[in-house]
Amino acid sequence: DSGVTQTPKHLITATGQRVTLRCSPRSGDLSVYWYQQSLDQGLQFLIQYYNGEERAKGNILERFSAQQFPDLHSELNLSSLELGDSALYFCASSPTGVGEQYFGPGTRLTVT
Amino acid sequence: TQLLEQSPQFLSIQEGENLTVYCNSSSVFSSLQWYRQEPGEGPVLLVTVVTGGEVKKLKRLTFQFGDARKDSSLHITAAQPGDTGLYLCAGVRSNYQLIWGAGTKLIIKP
């Protein structure tokens, strides 16, 4: 158990819908990262927050957005969902925003 | 553009064999991390290598960072079914950006 929690574990929704994924970092970690992993693929970095501020942006679509709240939990919002958005979405946290990352168990999103 | 190339992409071997997977780049990294991911779970950090030429051992796993800090290797001795998983390397650039490889999918057959 990494100490990072993600909810929900599974999510099934229809095309065109909007969903919110939630992540709570390890106690004391200030930085949160979001990743997308499609079947049998590597990790695609989406976005990083540090202490409430956006720090780095990766291959995040305009239909996706995220934020980190004052209590340091983070949410990833996915809208106008397409079939190709079906994937595992991982959240990771780190103490300082650099160095090792600790991953949550992931949210499996299925768009039908 | 894939800045961090992992090879092979897929490897299936028998229990007891040795193997090496590689992580190569034309870029210099301040450090490099190796993770293992089991199906349906998040990646778990195995090791971080920092110094050029550094070798770290974790039981049957040996990690090496290239002298120029552009590449790394992971060698597994006497592989076991429990070693099965996706092995990911991630390089840390001087601006602290993390660059991920696409991974090596390893299957160890009993």
Side-chain angles (χ1 to χ4, degrees):
Chain A
D1 185 354
S2 67
V4 178
T5 60
Q6 288 187 247
T7 56
K9 190 165 179 61
H10 300 279
L11 195 51
I12 301 174
T13 189
T15 54
Q17 296 298 305
R18 172 189 169 94
V19 297
T20 297
L21 312 184
R22 183 187 169 99
C23 168
S24 292
R26 293 187 324 159
S27 177
D29 284 0
L30 297 178
S31 194
V32 168
Y33 308 76
W34 285 98
Y35 293 89
Q36 180 192 58
Q37 187 176 43
S38 300
L39 188 64
D40 287 335
Q41 299 290 314
L43 291 171
Q44 294 295 320
F45 168 65
L46 296 178
I47 198 163
Q48 178 197 0
Y49 282 84
Y50 177 79
N51 205 19
E53 299 290 327
E54 181 183 307
R55 171 167 278 197
K57 223 169 189 177
N59 301 320
I60 188 166
L61 300 172
E62 286 192 8
R63 300 184 285 110
F64 296 0
S65 64
Q67 55 184 329
Q68 186 180 29
F69 295 88
D71 67 353
L72 301 177
H73 91 272
S74 178
E75 293 181 356
L76 178 67
N77 299 295
L78 314 176
S79 61
S80 302
L81 284 168
E82 302 175 358
L83 295 177
D85 298 327
S86 294
L88 269 168
Y89 290 84
F90 287 105
C91 166
S93 73
S94 70
T96 61
V98 302
E100 296 92 358
Q101 297 181 21
Y102 299 87
F103 283 79
T107 292
R108 181 175 294 280
L109 173 66
T110 302
V111 182
T112 61
Chain B
T1 302
Q2 182 65 267
L3 298 180
L4 204 52
E5 300 282 347
Q6 286 193 245
S7 61
Q9 289 183 307
F10 179 80
L11 186 58
S12 179
I13 62 172
Q14 291 294 137
E15 181 178 2
E17 293 184 14
N18 302 332
L19 67 109
T20 302
V21 299
Y22 300 93
C23 180
N24 295 304
S25 176
S26 58
S27 301
V28 175
F29 296 106
S30 57
S31 64
L32 193 136
Q33 304 163 12
W34 283 93
Y35 294 78
R36 181 171 69 211
Q37 183 181 19
E38 298 189 21
E41 300 183 7
V44 175
L45 179 70
L46 296 173
V47 78
T48 300
V49 285
V50 179
T51 307
E54 181 177 3
V55 177
K56 279 193 174 178
K57 291 193 174 184
L58 192 66
K59 296 184 181 178
R60 294 175 295 99
L61 278 60
T62 302
F63 303 85
Q64 185 162 8
F65 201 14
D67 291 341
R69 290 185 289 129
K70 293 182 180 180
D71 53 83
S72 182
S73 64
L74 158 59
H75 181 79
I76 301 180
T77 303
Q80 298 178 2
D83 297 326
T84 292
L86 179 68
Y87 287 81
L88 295 158
C89 65
V92 181
R93 302 186 79 174
S94 57
N95 62 355
Y96 305 117
Q97 182 186 14
L98 205 63
I99 305 297
W100 289 86
T104 292
K105 187 171 184 178
L106 176 63
I107 295 177
I108 310 299
K109 295 176 285 188

